[in-house]
């Protein structure tokens, strides 16, 4: 379970140090992707696999909103590993999507971690995805 909020800074090589208390749950790998708004979502591999299984239950070919959701989640996702110092590298395209330049707010949200630019974290309502059909599809995944 991921709990708590941490403020970290990317180092000169754009590496993010994962909080020590999160490392055991991420030691077997992780996947990062876009969240439903201007932030990223980091899943332990096992939780990502559960999300994938749930997404496969949805009607991909007959529901364009579900198809778009799958594109949003999977096409932008990246598998990442943690080095021996507990650091990860977030892909540039994902950092740009989330407005992450140097500082990062890591928010534990039970099964996953949200990664936010600190200013976006402070202004969360303005940076969430607006309610539309795609947000309904996100809800169908029971995230």
């Amino acid at each position: 379970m991921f709990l708590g909020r941490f403020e970290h800074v990317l180092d000169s090589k754009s590496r993010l140090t994962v909080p020590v208390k999160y490392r055991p749950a991420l030691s077997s790998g992780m996947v990062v992707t876009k969240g439903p708004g201007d932030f990223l979502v980091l899943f332990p591999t096992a939780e990502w696999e559960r999300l994938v299984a749930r997404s496969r239950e949805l009607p991909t070919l007959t529901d364009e909103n579900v198809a778009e959701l799958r594109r949003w989640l999977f096409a932008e996702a990246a598998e990442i590993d943690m080095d021996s110092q507990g650091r990860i590298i977030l892909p540039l395209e994902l950092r740009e999507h989330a407005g992450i330049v140097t500082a990062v707010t890591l928010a534990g949200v039970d099964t996953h971690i949200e990664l936010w630019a600190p200013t976006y974290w402070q202004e969360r309502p303005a940076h969430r995805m607006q309610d539309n059909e795609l947000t309904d599809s996100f809800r169908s995944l029971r995230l």
Side-chain angles (χ1 to χ4, degrees), residues 47 58 72 77 87 96 111 114 121 123:
E47 186 61 31
L58 302 175
W72 180 270
R87 298 172 300 198
E96 288 174 344
T111 60
E114 293 181 355
W121 173 260
E123 304 163 349

Side-chain angles (χ1 to χ4, degrees), residues 7-9 13 27 30 52 57 67 73 95 111 114-115 117 122 130:
E7 302 292 331
H8 284 241
V9 176
K13 296 181 182 179
S27 63
M30 62 201 91
V52 169
E57 297 170 3
L73 287 172
R95 290 194 323 260
T111 60
E114 293 181 355
L115 306 171
Q122 296 301 322
Q130 298 303 311

Side-chain angles (χ1 to χ4, degrees), residues 58-87:
L58 302 175
T60 304
L61 295 177
T62 58
D63 187 327
E64 181 56 32
N65 293 324
V66 171
E68 187 58 32
L69 169 68
R70 289 177 57 86
R71 288 181 201 110
W72 180 270
L73 287 172
F74 298 116
E76 304 298 336
E79 293 179 290
I80 55 177
D81 294 309
M82 192 167 27
D83 69 14
S84 61
Q85 307 269 325
R87 298 172 300 198

Side-chain angles (χ1 to χ4, degrees), residues 101-127:
V101 179
T102 54
V104 183
T105 298
L106 296 94
V109 189
D110 187 20
T111 60
H112 60 276
I113 302 165
E114 293 181 355
L115 306 171
W116 292 77
T119 55
Y120 289 4
W121 173 260
Q122 296 301 322
E123 304 163 349
R124 278 187 307 283
H127 293 280

Side-chain angles (χ1 to χ4, degrees), residues 11-64:
D11 69 13
S12 62
K13 296 181 182 179
S14 298
R15 296 176 296 197
L16 173 65
T17 301
V18 175
V20 172
K21 69 185 275 184
Y22 291 170
R23 293 179 193 176
L26 299 171
S27 63
S28 62
M30 62 201 91
V31 175
V32 64
T33 192
K34 290 179 177 179
D38 298 329
F39 62 97
L40 306 178
V41 184
L42 183 68
F43 293 95
T45 301
E47 186 61 31
W48 177 257
E49 290 169 356
R50 283 189 283 280
L51 173 70
V52 169
R54 287 193 305 263
S55 77
R56 289 181 179 152
E57 297 170 3
L58 302 175
T60 304
L61 295 177
T62 58
D63 187 327
E64 181 56 32

